[in-house]
Amino acid sequence: MSRQLLAMALAPLLGLFILGIGNGFLATLISVRLDAAGESATVIGIVSSAYFIGLALGAMVNDRLLLRIGHIRAYGSFASLVAVTVLLQGLFFDPWAWFALRLIGGWATVGVYLVIESWLLTSGDQKVRGRLLALYMISLYAAGVLGQLLLGVTDAMGTTAPFMVIGLLASLSVLPMAMIPRVSPIMEQAEPLHPLRLITLTPTGVMGSLGSGMVVAAAYTLLPLYLQRIGMTVSQVGQMMAVVILGAMLLQYPIGRWSDRHDRQIVLIAISGFCVLISAAMLWLPLSTPLLAALLFLLGGGVFALYPVAVSHAADRAPAGALVRMSQGLLLINSIGATISPLLISPVMTAVGDAGLFWAFGSLSLFFALFFVWRRRVRPAPLPVAPFTATTPMSAAGAELVVTEELMQGALEHEHLEDLSEAVPDVEVAEPMVGPPAEDESHIVYYDDVEQASPRG
């Protein structure tokens, strides 16, 4: 990566890292504080869902505000609003006031991510998106791990100290963006594919994105509640949540590379089945601290890999002209799953006890595994068109970052192998042909042991 490109991306990545440290443990902090105050799992689930409602709303409307006022001013406004909502939560305790503050905070947080991701998107062309996305992922996950580890440290300082630290970090994250000596990049308003069109195009991608949103939201909001109720201190809860995020960071790419060499539907089935086994182990094995940490590490790797593998599978099916809109649509589906998850799972925990989290977790994973098995029997997966891309985008601009040059070239080549004219009627696609690509067309080979095979439907 050139120095010029790194310099352009450094400010938004530094802002992301600073903000991400505080945002990394805020959901955990809220869950453990509500539980310590005697609130039921249902109330905690309702308050937790407010954040994801705000994320979903912001993902749909914040790009319009960004287009009007520009990146730097928008970032300052959103980050300041994040700081205010967090500091107000530290000043007084009321679950329903916290619900409103978390909703506003979620709306503002996705605005921050929109600025960062759209800046990265316009910092370079499709040739460098993969490298920019890698830096983005490292910053995001590293901040999440560090934030969870800081939970115990800040909690020991007093009841309001964690909220003050998060508010300070949100305010401090404005500085790198405010010091950028250039105008805001140009961006276009997002137009994601309609959910019904997505279901027609890629039912497996839709269900994988929905399921990922549900299980990841439960991991962020209700897993801390479970850990505290089995006797862990706030510091230990933060450490275990850091292990979950570390598992997501370290295992997502190997799982994705595995999906490059195999049927991605098989990989989705394996991930879901693996989550069923982890849930069963959490329910029935005597859990020592090392065993619990190992299971949570594996759980993090599984649940966080589900979304990018599902998106990669969907990209194997989509025409090149629909890749961006498809990625943006799947992100909205993911947000819907994250919104409803705490509302569905927390009553289970209230009814059957803390173990209800993993009963719900295992049941959801089993349902999605069976769905993926059924879809594979109805329509086997197409051949992978490009390498897996590890990603957890928060905004429509971040979803577009996934569309790298390799993916675009692979999708264009796939249009020659299968008739995609009815997949997305309003997108122009190439005519299918018999035989190898013409000499003047690029043909990508992205792993060493690829074998010549005909596409399977």
Side-chain angles (χ1 to χ4, degrees), residues 424-436:
V424 186
D426 56 343
V427 173
E428 184 177 351
V429 299
E431 290 290 333
M433 68 178 186
V434 178

Side-chain angles (χ1 to χ4, degrees), residues 30-39 44 225 228-229:
I30 290 173
S31 294
V32 298
R33 284 294 176 85
L34 288 170
D35 181 55
E39 300 295 338
I44 296 173
L225 173 63
Q228 180 163 273
R229 288 186 174 180

Side-chain angles (χ1 to χ4, degrees), residues 178-363:
M179 296 172 66
I180 295 177
R182 55 170 290 179
V183 298
S184 296
I186 299 174
M187 64 171 291
E188 299 179 356
Q189 187 172 332
E191 295 183 5
L193 283 180
H194 191 277
L196 293 179
R197 182 68 65 194
L198 278 171
I199 293 173
T200 302
L201 177 64
T202 172
T204 297
V206 169
M207 292 301 290
S209 299
L210 180 70
S212 171
M214 297 181 72
V215 294
V216 169
Y220 271 125
T221 61
L222 298 178
L223 182 56
L225 173 63
Y226 169 85
L227 294 172
Q228 180 163 273
R229 288 186 174 180
I230 63 174
M232 289 194 164
T233 65
V234 172
S235 179
Q236 291 173 325
V237 170
Q239 292 168 6
M240 288 297 171
M241 291 301 298
V243 168
V244 173
I245 299 174
L246 187 64
M249 180 178 182
L250 297 181
L251 297 182
Q252 187 173 141
Y253 186 75
I255 293 174
R257 291 300 293 167
W258 178 41
S259 76
D260 282 344
R261 292 172 166 83
H262 298 81
D263 186 328
R264 295 204 206 272
Q265 286 176 322
I266 290 291
V267 177
L268 289 170
I269 294 168
I271 292 173
S272 301
F274 183 73
C275 289
V276 173
L277 294 177
I278 294 294
S279 300
M282 294 291 294
L283 288 170
W284 295 319
L285 290 182
L287 297 177
S288 62
T289 300
L291 178 58
L292 177 61
L295 290 174
L296 292 180
F297 179 86
L298 295 173
L299 183 68
V303 300
F304 281 86
L306 184 60
Y307 177 74
V309 174
V311 172
S312 294
H313 167 80
D316 293 337
R317 172 70 180 139
L323 285 173
V324 172
R325 296 173 61 200
M326 180 209 68
S327 297
Q328 293 168 342
L330 291 178
L331 176 63
L332 290 178
I333 297 294
N334 183 264
S335 299
I336 293 172
T339 300
I340 64 177
S341 173
L343 298 175
L344 293 177
I345 297 178
S346 58
V348 178
M349 296 181 68
T350 300
V352 305
D354 305 328
L357 171 63
F358 289 99
W359 281 111
F361 222 95
S363 299

